[in-house]
């Protein structure tokens, strides 16, 4: 039938035949044709071959169900071809520089000899591979039918895959000589050798190596061609191991021989290098793995050593403001540790070290006793108890105040320094910044005088520091105080000191600007909350009210005086009315420890005033009672001062004298004394009722201190003793028109240790109450609470003011249980308490 | 398809027996992996010389009923037509064959299927199969159906199931 069809149309024209000699379909006659063609293909003579003929022959065989024999024949052919012809060629390139090794496996040739010999080998292998790929491509074309029909159905690897496997086995896996290394091992060794040369800075043929890497990536462990089993991975593992060793050694060497900055730069260079190497010489897939190796060996394992390097490590960098080097270290550690733990720890250590130095320096300064100034000296020129002699004309600060100011400035400088490092070198990294801040807080809080010193800093500024400063400068000073205050956890202790200092400033009119005082208060409100500032604001209110009262009283007097008493000059009264309990008046107790109020006897003021003053006092009391009924006024005479007009024999002018109230009382006694007469200590005491201590101090000002020696003391000595007599000093020559008699206890002495302990004790006591109040508040709301939670909540509530000691809280809870505010719950899973209404 | 008719820009000659066809490498190679290799430059002789000589059956002894390797030029012609038109039309031939027209067609479809398998033309393979199936549904009791069956079994490997499946299905 088909023959009929083919003959339809006339004479058949036969195209020229090629190759076929009328052969039958017998396998044994067809195969040699194919075999011969394969040889031609492998020897690059394929262009002379007829694809059609070869294809048809293979097709015939498969159709005759001889596919399997064909497949096996081809496989054996390739195996033979590879094993003898191809491999021989490659082995020929294994010259002595590559094979001569010493006992340790190192070759004995020079590196350039090795490199040249290695390149020959690599070239040979590369060509063999590339040629083989092309040839097998063509073979696959010829055997297309067998591949697609026979192989798929019989689950054989394609002829291409099969032959690749043969290449792997015959070329790479067969030992060069029996029981010796395989070409794959040789390849690995040569490539690693060249990479080492590259690392040492020598030039190598990167593309040549990469071509061989392509080969390794194209071959698999088995004919199944599983993705994870590429031959390349075998090489990669050896590469990674060897690199790890290399970098481990390099890291150690560099730590010993180099400096931190160079180390960082070098590490980065190596990382970049390896990345490039993967791209140009090996495989991009290795990039991440080798990076991990380098980072692990050069960075992670060496980080601590790097940071602690003597003479160039982080400590050195911080001391010498090496911002760039610090950023290098930061970047380096960031690669292996997102938290930069080592660097953070090192920074914290430095902060603590430097901070501790600042704290210790402050303590040393404050405890040093200089030759001239005794500890506890005040500011305003009044001689201390020990009797310092001449005062310097400028008012020197006490040693303590100096220490306090210095401490604050140094703390701020420390903070600034590390802030700058964080911004410049660490890109304001959160983790590191917070850690440094925590250490700063520790520094501030481990300093026993922190609260006091911060208050002193503000105090000094309010009294002198902000004079002649611009608004911006004042602002920044206030901000500085707040910054240090933020670190402080014992805010309640600070409050105590601040109240004390503020009280003195207000009452003694030492503030440069009330406005700035109020600014400080509002800033503190933001930081510390309202409760803290309420009492302080109350003080200001009292001051304003007192101003109004003084003015009101003045006007009232003027009205009254219009009629009667026209011969006596009105004494101008400036009054300050202080709400008790708001003002920490214990600040005005004398340094010698007299804290009993000797002013009053059973509440009544017993000081003896001259009649004019007495009239003024009662006048004001009446005036006040009219305005505010039901209030009791207590006079504090030891805190007032008076302005007098005085005439001295040796001066023609009228002088203004400012002195304490007590001093005024004493001086007025001498107004009515006949010339030449004197008063004894006891007489003065009797006529004024001034407490002995105050009396002595004031008499010292008036009779001993040279600039204000209005009185002459007999006998002339520094101390005031019984029997001393005093008379007006006719010889007194005043140097100035305005004379100020030093007021005792004007300055804010920095507390001596005893006072400090007392303040702290008081503070602790009040903390006890605050803790109790918080516990009761919490339990009332929650009714029942486990112990642990009660602790945490209490601490949280009070964190604002201070950090409560856990044992203190426990003791207070015990106390509350005793007083039946709470009871323990017997049958709770964890220890718990119940609120008793 | 216009390209086919105009014979412009052809760059490849396909010979089979007394028939020769001019074709475009691009068109032909795109649809058959066999021709992709054959047309390729730098591989085998055909690609270099731009001519391929397909062996005809009948060149071999035992040509009668043997399909060992060679092809029918008419079938090749239809296949080349398929490259350009995605279809083929079997001319019904001389009046004497009219009655056996459909059975002839069946055989032709089978042969085209075999050629598609041999020359790796998936599109033609599917088309020939469906045409065969159609034709097999009509007049299958016909004696020429046996002939078609023989063609199928001889011209394709056991493994090539589709045509045999159709036969089996229609026989039931």
């Amino acid at each position: 039938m088909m023959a009929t069809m083919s003959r339809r149309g006339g004479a058949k024209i036969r195209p020229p035949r090629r190759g076929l000699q009328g052969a039958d379909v017998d396998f044994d006659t067809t195969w040699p044709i194919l075999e011969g063609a394969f040889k031609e293909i492998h020897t690059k003579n394929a262009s002379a071959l007829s694809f059609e003929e070869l294809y048809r022959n293979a097709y015939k065989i498969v159709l005759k169900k001889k596919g399997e024999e064909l497949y096996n024949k081809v496989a054996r052919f390739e195996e033979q071809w590879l094993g003898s012809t191809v491999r021989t060629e490659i082995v020929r390139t294994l010259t002595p520089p590559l094979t001569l090794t010493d006992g340790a496996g190192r070759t004995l040739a020079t590196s350039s000899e090795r490199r040249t010999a290695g390149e020959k080998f690599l070239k040979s292998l590369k060509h063999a591979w590339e040629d083989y790929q092309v040839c097998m491509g063509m073979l696959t074309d010829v055997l297309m039918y067998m591949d697609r029909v026979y192989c798929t159905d019989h689950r054989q690897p394609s002829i291409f895959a099969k032959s690749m496997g043969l290449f792997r086995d015959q070329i790479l896996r067969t030992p060069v000589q029996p029981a010796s290394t395989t070409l794959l091992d040789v390849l690995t060794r040569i490539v690693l050798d060249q990479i080492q040369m590259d690392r040492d800075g020598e030039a190598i043929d990167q593309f040549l190596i990469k071509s061989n890497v392509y080969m390794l990536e194209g071959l698999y462990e088995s004919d199944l061609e599983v993705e994870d089993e590429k031959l390349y991975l075998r090489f990669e593992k050896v590469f990674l191991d060897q690199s790890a060793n290399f970098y481990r050694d390099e890291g150690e060497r560099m730590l010993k021989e180099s400096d931190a900055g160079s180390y960082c730069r070098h590490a980065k260079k190596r990382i970049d290098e390896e990345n490039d190497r993967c791209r140009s010489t090996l495989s991009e897939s290795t990039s991440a793995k080798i990076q991990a190796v380098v980072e692990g060996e050069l960075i992670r394992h060496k980080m601590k050593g790097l940071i602690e390097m003597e003479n160039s490590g982080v400590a050195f960098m911080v001391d010498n403001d090496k911002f760039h080097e610090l950023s290098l270290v930061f970047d380096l550690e960031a690669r292996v540790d997102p938290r930069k733990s080592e660097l953070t720890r090192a920074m914290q250590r430095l902060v603590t070290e430097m901070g501790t130095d600042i704290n210790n320096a402050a303590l040393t300064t404050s405890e040093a006793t200089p030759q001239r100034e005794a500890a506890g000296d005040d500011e305003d020129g009044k001689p201390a108890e020990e009797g310092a002699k001449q005062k310097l004309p400028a008012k020197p600060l006490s040693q303590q105040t100096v220490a306090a100011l210095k401490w604050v400035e140094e703390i701020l400088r420390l903070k600034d320094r590390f802030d700058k490092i964080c911004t410049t070198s660490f890109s304001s990294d959160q983790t590191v910044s917070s850690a440094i801040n925590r250490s700063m807080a520790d520094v501030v809080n481990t300093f026993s005088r922190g609260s006091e010193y911060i208050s002193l800093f503000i105090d000094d500024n309010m009294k002198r520091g902000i004079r002649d400063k611009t608004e911006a400068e004042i602002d920044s000073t206030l901000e500085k105080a707040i910054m240090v205050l933020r670190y402080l956890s014992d805010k309640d202790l600070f409050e105590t000191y601040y109240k004390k200092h503020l009280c003195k400033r207000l009452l003694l009119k030492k503030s440069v600007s009330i406005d700035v005082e109020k600014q400080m208060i509002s800033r503190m409100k933001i930081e510390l909350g309202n409760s803290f500032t309420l009492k302080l604001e109350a003080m200001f209110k009292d001051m304003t009210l007192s101003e109004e009262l003084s003015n009101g009283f003045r006007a009232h007097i003027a009205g009254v005086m219009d009629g009667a008493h026209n011969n006596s000059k009105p004494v101008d009264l400036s009054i300050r009315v202080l709400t008790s309990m708001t003002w920490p008046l214990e600040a005005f107790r004398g340094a010698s420890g007299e804290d009993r109020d000797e002013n009053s006897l059973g509440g009544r003021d017993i000081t003896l005033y001259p009649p004019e003053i007495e009239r003024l006092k009662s006048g004001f009391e009446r005036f006040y009672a009219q305005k505010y009924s039901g209030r009791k006024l207590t006079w504090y005479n030891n805190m007032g001062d008076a302005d007098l007009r005085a005439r001295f024999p040796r001066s023609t002018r009228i002088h203004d004298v400012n002195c304490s109230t007590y001093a005024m009382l004493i001086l007025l006694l001498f107004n009515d004394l006949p010339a030449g007469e004197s008063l004894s200590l006891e007489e003065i005491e009797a006529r004024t009722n001034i407490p002995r201590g105050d009396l002595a101090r004031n008499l010292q000002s008036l009779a001993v201190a040279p600039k204000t020696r209005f009185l002459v003391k007999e006998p002339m000595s520094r101390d005031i003793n019984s029997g001393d007599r005093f008379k007006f000093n006719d010889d007194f020559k005043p140097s100035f028109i305005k004379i100020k008699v030093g007021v005792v206890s004007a300055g804010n002495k920095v507390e001596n240790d005893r006072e400090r302990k007392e303040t702290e004790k008081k503070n602790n006591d009040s903390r006890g109450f605050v803790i109790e109040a918080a516990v009761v508040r919490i339990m009332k709301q929650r009714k029942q609470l486990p112990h642990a939670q009660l602790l945490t909540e209490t601490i949280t509530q009070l964190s604002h003011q201070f950090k409560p000691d856990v044992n203190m809280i426990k003791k207070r809870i015990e106390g509350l249980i005793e007083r039946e505010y709470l009871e323990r719950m017997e049958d709770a899973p964890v220890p718990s308490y119940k609120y008793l209404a | 398809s216009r390209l086919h008719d105009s014979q412009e820009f052809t760059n490849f000659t396909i010979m089979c027996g007394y028939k020769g066809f001019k074709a475009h490498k691009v068109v032909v190679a795109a649809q058959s992996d066999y021709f992709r290799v054959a047309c390729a430059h730098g591989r085998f002789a055909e690609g270099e010389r731009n001519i391929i000589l397909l062996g005809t059956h009948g060149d071999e002894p035992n040509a009668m009923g043997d399909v060992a390797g060679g092809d029918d030029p008419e079938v090749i012609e239809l296949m080349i037509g398929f490259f350009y038109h995605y279809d083929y039309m079997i001319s019904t031939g001389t009046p004497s064959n009219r009655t056996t027209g459909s059975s002839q067609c069946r055989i032709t479809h089978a042969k085209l299927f075999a050629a598609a398998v041999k020359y790796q033309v998936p599109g033609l393979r599917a088309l020939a199969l469906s045409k065969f199936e159609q034709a097999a549904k009509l007049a299958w009791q016909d004696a020429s159906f046996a002939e078609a069956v023989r063609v199928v079994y001889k011209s394709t490997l056991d493994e090539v199931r589709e045509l045999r499946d159709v036969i089996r299905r229609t026989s039931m």
Side-chain angles (χ1 to χ4, degrees):
Chain A
M1 226 161 315
M2 282 160 292
T4 325
M5 282 192 68
S6 74
R7 296 227 183 336
R8 187 166 55 94
K12 210 166 42 156
I13 304 172
R14 288 186 187 203
R17 272 183 265 169
R18 295 222 300 280
L20 285 177
Q21 309 293 323
D24 60 27
V25 201
D26 199 37
F27 185 91
D28 292 330
T29 18
T30 318
W31 166 248
I33 301 171
L34 288 171
E35 189 178 22
F38 293 164
K39 282 210 179 92
E40 294 295 303
I41 290 176
H42 276 305
T43 50
K44 312 211 179 152
N45 290 322
S47 54
L49 299 171
S50 161
F51 171 68
E52 189 277 333
E53 178 188 337
L54 300 171
Y55 184 96
R56 187 167 28 82
N57 275 301
Y59 171 74
K60 264 186 337 201
I61 295 177
V62 174
L63 221 48
K64 281 290 171 192
K65 306 198 198 311
K66 295 265 171 99
E68 185 166 2
E69 278 121 276
L70 178 59
Y71 185 87
N72 290 335
K73 274 280 206 208
V74 175
R76 268 204 298 284
F77 171 82
E78 287 304 325
E79 197 173 34
Q80 218 269 326
W81 168 261
L82 287 166
S84 50
T85 319
V86 181
R87 177 141 56 97
T88 320
E89 215 21 66
I90 298 174
V91 170
R92 200 169 299 163
T93 63
L94 288 181
T95 52
L98 300 175
T99 52
L100 282 180
T101 59
D102 59 14
R106 284 189 292 264
T107 67
L108 301 170
T110 67
S111 73
S112 81
E113 282 172 352
R114 286 199 325 267
R115 193 182 66 242
T116 329
E119 281 171 5
K120 281 211 183 72
F121 172 82
L122 291 171
K123 271 205 186 82
S124 166
L125 189 52
K126 168 186 158 154
H127 287 144
W129 166 253
E130 286 171 357
D131 285 347
Y132 195 67
Q133 296 257 293
V134 170
C135 296
M136 281 321 296
M138 295 175 84
L139 249 89
T140 304
D141 288 340
V142 167
L143 299 169
M144 202 191 289
Y145 192 79
M146 178 191 79
D147 240 0
R148 294 185 186 195
V149 176
Y150 163 73
C151 291
T152 3
D153 277 350
H154 289 252
R155 290 183 225 277
Q156 291 273 39
S158 71
I159 195 64
F160 190 86
K162 179 84 185 162
S163 54
M164 290 306 134
L166 289 170
F167 184 93
R168 172 197 67 226
D169 293 338
Q170 289 298 315
I171 305 295
L172 295 178
R173 279 193 179 157
T174 313
V176 178
Q177 283 138 27
S180 118
T181 54
T182 64
L183 283 180
L184 179 58
D185 293 335
V186 173
L187 173 64
T188 307
R189 187 160 48 78
I190 290 177
V191 170
L192 290 179
D193 193 26
Q194 302 240 334
I195 287 180
Q196 192 48 51
M197 290 183 212
D198 191 28
R199 284 185 181 143
D200 290 338
E202 296 175 38
I204 59 168
D205 188 339
Q206 295 170 329
F207 184 66
L208 182 55
I209 297 178
K210 195 151 172 74
S211 308
N212 280 287
V213 167
Y214 283 141
M215 173 187 76
L216 290 178
E217 284 181 310
L219 292 172
Y220 297 81
E221 297 283 339
S222 78
D223 290 343
L224 295 171
E225 302 207 332
V226 179
E227 199 51 40
D228 293 338
E229 288 179 359
K230 290 193 183 170
L231 272 195
Y232 175 72
L233 292 174
R234 199 178 272 262
F235 162 81
E236 194 187 52
K237 182 164 185 330
V238 182
F239 167 69
L240 292 172
D241 286 343
Q242 181 246 40
S243 303
N245 290 337
F246 171 73
Y247 282 115
R248 188 177 310 126
D249 292 341
E250 187 171 76
E252 266 167 39
R253 200 178 52 247
M254 291 211 67
L255 276 186
K256 285 200 202 94
E257 297 169 7
S258 179
D259 66 271
S262 307
Y263 188 100
C264 293
R265 277 183 278 267
H266 184 83
K268 179 151 193 330
K269 188 170 77 100
R270 282 302 198 197
I271 290 176
D272 289 341
E273 231 181 69
E274 291 297 333
N275 251 333
D276 287 340
R277 181 165 299 122
C278 284
R279 213 185 1 260
S280 66
T281 315
L282 296 174
S283 162
E284 298 254 12
S285 63
T286 306
S287 204
K289 296 177 204 170
I290 186 64
Q291 185 155 320
V293 166
V294 181
E295 286 178 352
E297 293 302 330
L298 279 189
I299 307 179
R300 191 177 294 117
H301 298 157
K302 302 282 191 284
M303 201 67 220
K304 197 152 184 301
L306 172 65
I307 286 179
E308 291 172 5
M309 254 186 177
E310 272 183 54
N311 304 328
S312 69
V314 167
F316 172 85
M317 292 178 191
V318 170
D319 278 341
N320 295 280
D321 291 339
K322 300 279 188 202
F323 295 113
H324 181 60
E325 273 79 357
L326 282 168
S327 76
L328 288 179
V329 176
F330 178 79
D331 287 337
L332 211 64
E333 195 179 4
R335 282 174 182 272
V336 298
D337 178 1
R339 301 185 53 82
K340 303 114 192 152
S341 340
E342 287 298 330
L343 184 59
T344 309
R345 265 199 290 275
M347 298 305 281
Q348 286 188 289
R349 263 200 308 274
L350 283 172
V351 170
T352 312
E353 248 176 59
M354 292 165 105
T356 312
D357 283 344
I358 296 176
N359 289 350
N360 290 340
L363 286 176
T364 319
T365 319
S366 67
E367 275 152 20
T369 39
Q371 318 89 312
R372 290 229 248 128
E373 293 177 72
D377 221 352
D378 66 42
E379 295 178 333
D380 286 348
K382 178 77 185 167
E385 280 80 276
E386 288 79 0
K389 299 172 275 258
Q390 193 75 10
K391 261 307 182 195
L392 299 167
K395 292 189 184 160
L397 294 179
S398 74
Q399 199 75 355
Q400 301 280 2
T401 314
V402 169
L405 292 174
K406 186 152 180 286
W407 182 81
V408 172
E409 293 287 344
E410 298 270 295
I411 291 289
L412 286 168
R413 264 220 340 238
L414 185 66
K415 174 179 155 49
D416 281 343
R417 173 178 234 162
F418 279 91
D419 277 351
K420 183 153 187 226
I421 292 178
C422 273
T423 350
T424 322
S425 306
F426 300 161
S427 354
S428 312
D429 179 88
Q430 275 281 46
T431 327
V432 186
S433 297
S434 324
I436 290 178
N437 271 328
R438 278 199 300 278
S439 294
M440 285 291 315
D442 285 343
V443 165
V444 169
N445 287 310
T446 46
F447 185 57
S448 53
R449 299 185 190 176
S451 319
E452 192 184 351
Y453 276 22
I454 298 176
S455 184
L456 275 179
F457 172 81
I458 302 174
D459 183 63
D460 184 76
N461 270 296
M462 290 299 175
K463 294 200 299 216
R464 291 173 326 122
I466 57 171
R467 201 174 289 153
D468 305 329
K469 290 256 170 74
T470 67
E471 223 178 282
E473 285 168 329
I474 295 175
D475 228 32
S476 100
T477 306
L478 295 187
E479 187 57 36
K480 281 183 185 176
I482 293 287
M483 280 202 272
V484 187
L485 197 52
R486 274 199 200 113
Y487 288 127
L488 196 65
S489 61
D490 286 346
K491 304 251 187 348
D492 58 343
L493 194 56
F494 168 77
E495 186 182 343
T496 311
Y497 284 113
Y498 195 79
K499 282 216 314 247
K500 201 170 79 144
H501 295 154
L502 177 65
C503 166
K504 281 199 181 162
R505 288 202 296 279
L506 290 179
L507 293 182
L508 300 173
K509 298 188 269 230
K510 294 280 176 194
S511 307
V512 168
S513 156
I514 295 291
D515 207 38
V516 178
E517 293 274 3
K518 290 196 175 161
Q519 272 185 49
M520 189 73 223
I521 303 291
S522 27
R523 275 173 188 259
M524 287 202 286
K525 209 187 222 173
I526 298 171
E527 286 300 316
L528 307 173
N530 275 356
S531 57
F532 176 73
T533 48
L534 273 176
K535 293 243 183 73
L536 301 176
E537 285 170 335
M539 283 197 240
F540 284 99
K541 226 168 62 172
D542 273 354
M543 297 298 290
T544 319
L545 223 58
S546 299
E547 190 73 25
E548 285 171 21
L549 278 169
S550 299
N551 291 334
F553 186 61
R554 211 169 283 130
H556 169 83
I557 290 278
V560 167
M561 292 295 280
D562 266 343
H565 301 289
N566 44 10
N567 56 333
S568 42
K569 303 149 286 222
V571 179
D572 187 29
L573 179 68
S574 236
I575 194 93
R576 247 80 58 80
V577 180
L578 313 174
T579 316
S580 66
M581 300 313 290
T582 305
W583 295 76
L585 292 173
E586 66 274 9
F588 279 85
R589 304 299 176 217
S592 58
E594 302 167 5
D595 24 30
R596 279 188 312 115
D597 187 357
E598 299 176 349
N599 237 341
S600 53
L601 205 60
R604 270 192 318 113
D605 186 9
I606 55 168
T607 314
L608 294 171
Y609 289 97
E612 314 98 315
I613 310 298
E614 199 56 58
R615 267 203 297 276
L616 211 55
K617 269 185 70 190
S618 13
F620 181 79
E621 279 177 354
R622 274 198 306 277
F623 174 72
Y624 190 80
Q626 272 172 15
K627 282 187 172 287
Y628 303 99
S629 62
R631 291 191 185 180
K632 177 169 165 321
L633 287 175
T634 306
W635 292 87
Y636 276 69
N637 304 303
N638 60 337
M639 286 169 53
D641 63 322
D643 291 310
L644 309 172
R645 290 233 191 81
R647 258 195 275 265
F648 297 97
R650 291 196 60 185
S651 165
T652 48
R653 323 279 296 267
I654 298 180
H655 293 268
D656 287 321
V657 174
N658 175 271
C659 60
S660 72
T661 308
Y662 284 156
M664 171 194 74
L665 294 182
I666 297 170
L667 287 174
L668 287 178
L669 291 180
F670 289 86
N671 266 352
D672 302 320
L673 205 61
E677 280 202 26
S678 61
L679 293 171
S680 74
L681 176 70
E682 289 75 11
E683 284 175 299
I684 299 177
E685 189 175 8
R687 287 166 74 165
T688 59
N689 264 351
I690 294 175
R692 187 50 93 90
D694 291 312
L695 184 61
R697 277 194 293 277
N698 278 285
L699 281 170
Q700 274 179 325
S701 308
L702 295 172
V704 177
K707 287 237 154 47
T708 53
R709 201 177 294 163
F710 305 148
L711 304 176
V712 174
K713 180 164 104 71
E714 284 157 7
M716 184 58 208
S717 64
R718 244 180 26 183
D719 297 323
I720 310 293
N721 302 306
S722 310
D724 286 350
R725 299 197 72 86
F726 300 87
K727 66 173 198 247
F728 183 68
N729 183 5
D730 296 307
D731 280 332
F732 180 73
K733 182 146 174 46
S735 324
F736 305 101
I737 296 178
K738 285 183 163 28
I739 307 169
K740 188 160 155 67
V741 179
V743 181
V744 180
S745 75
N748 282 326
K749 291 196 242 315
V750 172
E751 299 189 319
N752 60 27
D753 284 333
R754 190 187 60 83
E755 289 173 330
R756 194 169 296 116
K757 279 198 180 39
E758 261 205 58
T759 313
E760 285 174 7
K761 180 176 175 308
K762 277 211 193 112
N763 203 43
N764 273 341
D765 289 341
S766 76
R767 278 185 185 179
F769 292 125
V770 172
I771 290 174
E772 280 192 3
V775 169
V776 170
R777 233 188 355 258
I778 293 168
M779 289 305 298
K780 187 163 179 188
Q781 196 195 32
R782 316 270 278 197
K783 307 285 187 241
Q784 293 175 10
L785 208 56
H787 173 82
Q789 254 171 275
L790 179 58
L791 280 184
T792 4
E793 282 216 32
T794 310
I795 293 175
T796 319
Q797 274 209 19
L798 299 176
S799 64
H800 203 52
Q801 294 173 13
F802 62 94
K803 205 161 87 156
D805 174 49
V806 172
N807 285 325
M808 198 190 276
I809 303 180
K810 282 194 185 153
K811 265 177 69 183
R812 290 294 158 171
I813 294 178
E814 300 289 323
L816 286 170
I817 291 176
E818 257 175 58
R819 281 141 55 200
E820 296 187 357
Y821 279 87
L822 314 172
E823 72 174 358
R824 281 210 187 78
M825 290 173 61
E826 292 306 317
D827 43 356
V830 287
S832 309
Y833 304 100
K834 195 159 91 146
Y835 178 71
L836 296 174
Chain B
S1 37
R2 192 164 51 89
L3 231 44
H4 192 204
D5 303 325
S6 73
Q7 302 268 293
E8 256 183 318
F9 309 117
T10 55
N11 50 10
F12 197 66
T13 311
I14 302 172
M15 304 285 301
C16 182
Y18 56 90
K19 285 194 187 265
F21 312 97
K22 284 207 173 301
H24 304 79
K25 280 189 177 180
V26 159
V27 172
V28 161
Q31 297 176 70
S32 155
D33 280 344
Y34 177 96
F35 282 99
R36 189 170 49 76
V37 174
C39 297
H41 177 71
R43 286 172 97 81
F44 297 96
E46 286 81 353
E48 295 299 306
R49 301 186 198 161
N50 299 324
I51 178 167
I52 188 166
L53 303 168
L54 301 178
T56 53
H57 73 268
D59 285 349
E60 275 75 36
N62 309 322
M64 191 64 194
D66 225 63
V67 288
D71 296 294
D72 180 346
E74 312 256 321
V75 172
I76 297 300
E77 183 170 14
L78 289 173
M79 182 173 80
I80 294 175
F82 171 81
F83 285 144
Y84 285 88
H85 302 280
Y86 302 118
D87 199 1
Y88 61 89
M89 282 267 297
I90 304 175
S91 46
T92 41
T94 61
S96 61
N97 291 336
R98 216 184 309 121
T99 50
T100 53
S102 66
S103 64
Q104 300 289 45
C105 288
R106 274 202 299 267
I107 295 167
T108 314
H109 292 318
K111 284 187 177 177
L112 268 162
F113 179 85
V117 172
K118 178 180 176 191
Y119 290 108
Q120 312 281 343
V121 192
L124 179 59
R125 181 171 170 148
L127 184 64
L129 179 65
S130 74
K131 288 199 188 222
F132 179 84
E133 191 160 9
Q134 297 255 355
K137 287 201 181 117
L138 328 154
W140 60 271
Q141 310 97 320
D142 208 294
S144 64
F145 186 71
E147 180 63 30
V149 172
R150 201 172 58 84
V151 167
V152 169
Y153 275 83
K154 274 291 176 165
S155 64
T156 56
L157 214 47
D158 283 344
E159 288 80 357
V160 180
R161 298 235 56 89
E162 297 113 278
L163 226 46
R164 293 149 201 262
D165 287 346
V166 169
I167 290 173
R168 210 176 320 113
R169 277 203 300 273
T170 14
S171 319
M172 314 256 217

